[in-house]
Amino acid sequence: MQPLPLAFSQINGRSISQLLSKRPPISQIKQIHAQIITQSLASSRLFLIDSLILCYLHSKNLNSARILFDECRPSPPPPTLLWNLMIRAYSKLQYSSEPINLFRRMIAAQGKPDKYTFTFVITSCARQASVVCGQVIHGMAVKSGTLLNLYVDNSLISMYAAFARVDDAYGVFDEMSDQSVFSWTSLVSAYAKNGDMRRAVEVFAKMPARNDVSWTVLISGFVRCGRHTEALRYFHGMFCECKPNEAVLVCALSACANLGSLDQGKWIHSYVDSNCTLESSNIMTALIDMYAKCGSIDCAYRVFDKIPRRDVQNYTSMISGLSIHGLGEEAIRLFQQMLAEKLRPNDITIVGVLNGCSHSGLVQQGSSIFYSMENLWGIVPKIEHYGCYVDLLGRAGYLAKAFGIAKSMPINGDVIVWRALLSACRIHCNVGFAERIINYLEQLDCRSRSGINVLLSNLYASLGKWDKVSLVRKIMGKRNSSRDIGCSWIEVNGAVHEFRVADVLHPQIYEIQEKLSEILKRVVLVGYAADATHVSFDLSEEDREQAVALHSEKLAIAFGLMNTVPGTSIRIMKNLRTCEDCHTLLKAISKVYDREIIVRDRSRFHTFKEGKCSCKDYW
DNA sequence: GCTTGATCGA
C-alpha cells in the first residue's frame, strides 16, 4: 500500500483537497476517506465528499462512490456535475436501469439537468431499450432548451435509430441547424436498422462528409438484412475514401462467410495481415468463422492456432466451425480444452458444441452438457439450446423423446425446435410421426410456420407424395411464406452466382439447363437411379417448375461444372437443407466427373468425392 | 473537469 505523502499534523481540509485533486491511487483514496471520517471533516466541508466521490469514480470504484453519494449527499442536493458523472458511470454498464433511476432522483431533488445529463441519459435509454423513457426525456430536453446542443441532438437521433424509429430520428435531424458526421451517420443507421436500405443509401450518398464509421453503418446494414453481395461491393468502394476499421472488416468477413466467398475472404485475410498491426480478437473470430463456413476448416484451425491468448469468442467460433463440418469429437475436445483454460462458455458456445454432438451422434455427451449447462455455467437453456437438443435426439432416432422435450419446454416453442423435429422425421422417413407433430402444432396455432411448411413439403417430396406437396405449397402461397424457399449459389472467380426457385433470371439459364440434361444423361448411364423428383425437361411445365424449385443446387452444380476446371473443388452454398435426391445425384456426379463437390447447407457441410459422401449420419 | 455514430458466433 502506498502511504499518504502527508505527516499526521499536516492533515486538514485544504491538504486533503489538494491530494484528492491529483487523482491518487485507490489505496490512498481509502486512507483519505478514513481520515475524513476520523477527523470529522465531512460535515463542515461537503466539497471534500464530492471530490472523494469523483476520485472513486475515476478509479472505477462505482460501489464506493454510490454509497458515499447516497449516504452523504442528500442535502443540499449534489451539483449537476456529480449527478452527470454518476449517471455516466452507470451508463457504461450493460442493461443497467440506474442511469434512468438516478435521473428521476435528480429531477425529484430539483437538480438542473444540462446538456451532459441529457446526452448520458438519452444514450442509456437507447441501450436499455426503453423508448417511452426516451420520449419523455426528449420532451424534457425540448422544454429545458438543451435540444439545440449538437451532442444532445445526436444522441436523440441515435436513440431513435436504435429503436428503428426513422420518422422520429429524421424529425430531430431535420430540426438541427447544423448536422455533423455523427448526425448523418446516425440517420443512416436508423434507416439501416429499419431494414430500409434504399433510404439508407440515399442518405449516405447525400452526406457532405463520410468517415469509416459511416461506411461501417451502411455495410453492416446490408449484412444484417442478408444482402451480402452488396455489402461486399460497398466494402470495396470504401477503400477509395478511407481505411477500413475493425468493425467493417468483421462485417465484410461475415458477408464472405455467408456467401461462402472464399476468394474474397482470403483477400481480406491478407489485407488484415499486412495492414493491421494490432491483433484483434474480433477479427480473428470472424476469420475463423469465415474459413469454417467457406469449407476450409484447416485454414480456420491455422488462424485459431496462431492466436496467442484465446478468448471465449475465438473458441466459440472454432467449436461451431468444427461442428458444421461434422467433427463433433474434435469440437468436444476443444470445448474441454477451453474449460481447462478456465474460460467460461457462453450460450453460443453451448449451441456450437451441442450442434457438434448432434451431427456426430454423441447423444451421451450432448445430454450431459444440456442438463448441466445451468448448474455449471449459469446458462439457462434458451430456445436455441432446446432446438439443438431436440435435433440431437431426433437425428439419433429418439423421436418420441425429442417430441416430449419439445412439448415440455418451459418457454414457448417456436419454429426452430419444430423444424429440428420434423427434420428428424425426414431423416428417419417417418411421415406418420411428422403428421402427428403437425396436428399438434395446428392446435397450438403457431404463427411462424413458414419454415415448417417448407420442411413438410420436402418431406412429402422425398417420399414422392406429390399430391401432398402441392397441398402444402398451396397453403404456403396463401400464408405468403415463399421467401423461405431454397436458393443455392456458387462462387466462380470471385463472383457469386445465385440460383433461386424455378430460376429463369440467370443470363445463361438455357445453357445451364442444357448442361444439366447432359449431366443427368451421363450419370444415369453409370446406374444413377432416377426418381420422381428429377429435373427432367420432359415433364410438364408445372411439374418441371416444381422439381426445379426443390433442387436449386442442381442448377448451381451445372453452372459450376461449366465454369471450373477439372482437379478443383466445386463449392455450393444452400440456404436450406440439401435433399436426398441431390445427395444421390452429387455422389454420382463426383464419380463420373471425378470432382470434389462441397455443399454447405443451413446445418452443415457435405463433401462428395469418388462417389461417396462424408456425411455418414445423413440418411 | 463530463458528451454523440459501427462489429461477430446459432
Side-chain angles (χ1 to χ4, degrees):
Chain A
M1 195 203 296
Q2 232 174 314
L4 284 186
L6 279 179
F8 187 71
S9 60
Q10 293 174 311
I11 292 176
N12 54 41
R14 181 183 293 180
S15 64
I16 283 183
S17 171
Q18 274 173 352
L19 261 183
L20 285 174
S21 68
K22 288 180 192 152
R23 298 263 156 88
I26 183 66
S27 59
Q28 287 193 359
I29 299 172
K30 283 182 176 161
Q31 292 176 69
I32 295 168
H33 192 169
Q35 290 300 331
I36 291 175
I37 294 169
T38 53
Q39 315 240 344
S40 311
L41 290 169
S43 52
S44 56
R45 295 180 177 85
L46 217 47
F47 67 89
L48 283 183
I49 296 295
D50 290 356
S51 329
L52 200 54
I53 294 173
L54 293 187
C55 284
Y56 273 127
L57 286 175
H58 184 74
S59 62
K60 306 222 158 49
N61 280 269
L62 184 52
N63 287 339
S64 306
R66 182 61 189 264
I67 291 167
L68 266 180
F69 185 82
D70 284 349
E71 290 179 2
C72 305
R73 276 323 251 114
S75 70
T80 300
L81 173 69
L82 210 52
W83 284 109
N84 289 353
L85 291 181
M86 285 302 295
I87 292 173
R88 184 186 69 156
Y90 279 105
S91 74
K92 300 237 160 99
L93 304 179
Q94 254 192 333
Y95 311 120
S96 169
S97 54
E98 276 310 302
I100 294 159
N101 294 340
L102 281 167
F103 181 71
R104 285 209 183 99
R105 263 179 61 187
M106 178 185 187
I107 300 299
Q110 315 283 309
K112 301 238 174 316
D114 61 6
K115 54 184 181 173
Y116 296 105
T117 328
F118 281 113
T119 308
F120 295 141
V121 82
I122 290 166
T123 309
S124 299
C125 285
R127 283 192 203 128
Q128 262 254 73
S130 53
V131 70
V132 180
C133 267
Q135 279 174 319
V136 171
I137 293 164
H138 183 175
M140 293 170 77
V142 173
K143 224 170 147 186
S144 71
T146 34
L147 204 64
L148 294 170
N149 176 269
L150 182 64
Y151 290 97
V152 178
D153 290 351
N154 285 348
S155 59
L156 273 171
I157 300 174
S158 160
M159 178 195 75
Y160 285 122
F163 301 124
R165 303 265 294 238
V166 282
D167 295 337
D168 294 315
Y170 184 75
V172 178
F173 179 88
D174 198 38
E175 297 264 298
M176 292 170 75
S177 54
D178 213 10
Q179 295 99 344
S180 72
V181 67
F182 282 79
S183 333
W184 282 94
T185 304
S186 299
L187 189 65
V188 174
S189 169
Y191 287 117
K193 281 191 180 136
N194 200 33
D196 187 350
M197 291 314 291
R198 196 181 55 83
R199 299 284 286 278
V201 169
E202 249 172 51
V203 175
F204 182 80
K206 275 193 212 149
M207 287 178 77
R210 293 186 284 241
N211 61 19
D212 55 333
V213 181
S214 327
W215 284 92
T216 309
V217 167
L218 191 75
I219 292 165
S220 73
F222 277 117
V223 171
R224 205 176 306 122
C225 62
R227 290 163 65 174
H228 303 108
T229 314
E230 281 145 298
L232 286 180
R233 213 178 54 226
Y234 277 97
F235 171 69
H236 290 295
M238 174 182 187
F239 282 76
C240 21
E241 231 173 73
C242 49
K243 220 181 142 204
N245 55 25
E246 178 191 306
V248 84
L249 288 166
V250 168
C251 285
L253 283 168
S254 165
C256 293
N258 281 298
L259 286 172
S261 186
L262 185 62
D263 295 351
Q264 300 205 55
K266 277 184 176 164
W267 184 85
I268 297 174
H269 188 182
S270 62
Y271 177 85
V272 167
D273 273 351
S274 47
N275 290 280
C276 303
T277 42
L278 281 175
E279 282 273 311
S280 150
S281 165
N282 283 338
I283 293 183
M284 293 302 130
T285 305
L287 276 173
I288 295 168
D289 182 54
M290 182 278 293
Y291 277 123
K293 287 202 179 136
C294 291
S296 296
I297 194 71
D298 296 349
C299 292
Y301 232 131
R302 239 169 282 150
V303 174
F304 180 78
D305 272 336
K306 275 207 292 194
I307 304 173
R309 276 174 56 94
R310 298 179 198 118
D311 59 21
V312 182
Q313 275 83 355
N314 303 146
Y315 267 105
T316 301
S317 196
M318 193 65 225
I319 289 171
S320 308
L322 290 166
S323 294
I324 54 171
H325 280 263
L327 300 165
E329 276 99 353
E330 187 59 14
I332 290 205
R333 194 194 63 75
L334 212 60
F335 181 65
Q336 277 156 354
Q337 182 184 320
M338 184 188 113
L339 295 177
E341 284 182 26
K342 301 266 182 279
L343 288 170
R344 195 185 158 132
N346 59 31
D347 53 338
I348 302 155
T349 323
I350 305 292
V351 170
V353 77
L354 284 178
N355 232 343
C357 292
S358 102
H359 289 312
S360 303
L362 306 169
V363 181
Q364 194 73 48
Q365 292 90 326
S367 300
S368 130
I369 290 169
F370 181 79
Y371 285 112
S372 57
M373 58 192 272
E374 196 168 347
N375 280 340
L376 289 180
W377 310 294
I379 303 163
V380 181
K382 286 190 191 169
I383 196 82
E384 293 87 340
H385 302 104
Y386 278 98
C388 289
Y389 191 52
V390 166
D391 187 53
L392 166 66
L393 292 172
R395 271 173 200 269
Y398 302 105
L399 288 178
K401 191 175 178 200
F403 191 27
I405 297 269
K407 280 195 290 192
S408 72
M409 287 191 311
I411 20 187
N412 269 342
D414 85 350
V415 70
I416 301 172
V417 176
W418 300 112
R419 196 152 58 192
L421 199 49
L422 279 177
S423 180
C425 293
R426 213 176 135 220
I427 293 170
H428 296 285
C429 297
N430 197 334
V431 181
F433 209 91
E435 283 173 338
R436 232 177 97 188
I437 295 162
I438 294 294
N439 286 338
Y440 177 78
L441 291 178
E442 288 292 353
Q443 290 165 12
L444 288 186
D445 186 33
C446 244
R447 259 170 296 157
S448 166
R449 298 178 15 124
S450 59
I452 289 178
N453 282 328
V454 169
L455 244 152
L456 190 66
S457 139
N458 287 357
L459 179 79
Y460 286 135
S462 62
L463 293 161
K465 301 196 170 185
W466 287 99
D467 49 331
K468 298 227 174 184
V469 172
S470 54
L471 193 75
V472 177
R473 295 248 156 199
K474 267 180 201 145
I475 298 169
M476 281 164 63
K478 271 188 207 146
R479 297 195 186 175
N480 194 24
S481 53
S482 54
R483 67 188 175 83
D484 250 34
I485 291 174
C487 98
S488 299
W489 60 97
I490 180 170
E491 183 187 44
V492 173
N493 300 325
V496 175
H497 297 260
E498 193 176 272
F499 298 91
R500 293 190 163 268
V501 181
D503 208 330
V504 285
L505 293 174
H506 196 281
Q508 287 168 282
I509 193 69
Y510 292 109
E511 285 123 290
I512 294 165
Q513 289 186 346
E514 286 288 298
K515 181 72 180 177
L516 191 52
S517 290
E518 177 218 301
I519 292 168
L520 289 172
K521 274 178 202 143
R522 277 187 67 179
V523 292
V524 167
L525 285 180
V526 296
Y528 166 67
D531 70 23
T533 60
H534 255 29
V535 181
S536 157
F537 294 99
D538 303 330
L539 290 172
S540 75
E541 192 68 34
E542 195 184 326
D543 286 349
R544 190 164 90 191
E545 195 172 276
Q546 206 160 40
V548 174
L550 290 169
H551 306 306
S552 56
E553 60 264 60
K554 286 178 179 168
L555 296 171
I557 188 75
F559 186 73
L561 282 172
M562 283 161 66
N563 289 286
T564 56
V565 291
T568 55
S569 321
I570 298 179
R571 290 177 311 117
I572 298 171
M573 307 291 151
K574 191 172 191 264
N575 70 348
L576 291 177
R577 173 178 277 279
T578 45
C579 65
E580 184 181 15
D581 180 47
C582 279
H583 244 244
T584 331
L585 177 64
L586 293 173
K587 276 194 231 171
I589 295 176
S590 73
K591 192 171 175 185
V592 173
Y593 288 81
D594 194 20
R595 299 288 288 272
E596 184 188 55
I597 304 163
I598 301 164
V599 179
R600 185 191 87 195
D601 64 21
R602 191 141 68 186
S603 89
R604 63 174 300 182
F605 277 92
H606 315 258
T607 307
F608 302 87
K609 207 174 173 181
E610 292 161 6
K612 291 192 184 105
C613 178
S614 62
C615 297
K616 294 183 199 79
D617 69 316
Y618 196 75
W619 291 106

